[in-house]
């Protein structure tokens, strides 16, 4: 799970971000929370989501680059 906090110019820009996250297919279950308006007029928010495990799977290298030296 990834959790981030951010600021946006306005509420519609957060809605657009949510739509893009949902369309990507790589970000799963995006949840926006703690929406608030800052003193400078920007909108603060938190978002948490999961990432497709295939994108972050770690595979140990099969060869050592120092072999044969």
């Amino acid at each position: 799970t990834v959790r981030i906090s951010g600021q946006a110019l306005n509420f519609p820009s957060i809605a657009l971000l949510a739509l893009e996250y949902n369309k990507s297919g790589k970000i799963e279950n995006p949840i926006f929370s703690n929406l608030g308006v800052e003193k400078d007029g920007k909108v603060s928010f938190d978002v948490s989501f999961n990432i497709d495990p295939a994108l972050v799977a770690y595979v140990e290298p099969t060869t050592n680059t120092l072999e044969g030296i």
Side-chain angles (χ1 to χ4, degrees):
T1 301
V2 176
R3 292 181 182 92
I4 57 175
S5 297
Q7 285 189 337
L9 295 177
N10 51 38
F11 287 103
S13 61
I14 294 174
L16 288 174
L17 181 61
L19 288 172
E20 290 301 315
Y21 279 0
N22 282 315
K23 286 190 326 187
S24 79
K26 297 174 183 172
I27 294 176
E28 302 170 348
N29 304 319
I31 299 173
F32 287 81
S33 60
N34 297 324
L35 298 168
V37 178
E38 300 292 322
K39 290 181 181 180
D40 61 2
K42 292 183 180 174
V43 179
S44 60
F45 65 94
D46 294 336
V47 62
S48 63
F49 53 86
N50 297 322
I51 297 176
D52 180 355
L55 298 173
V56 293
Y58 173 77
V59 177
E60 190 170 339
T62 56
T63 61
N64 184 340
T65 57
L66 298 177
E67 286 179 10
I69 294 179

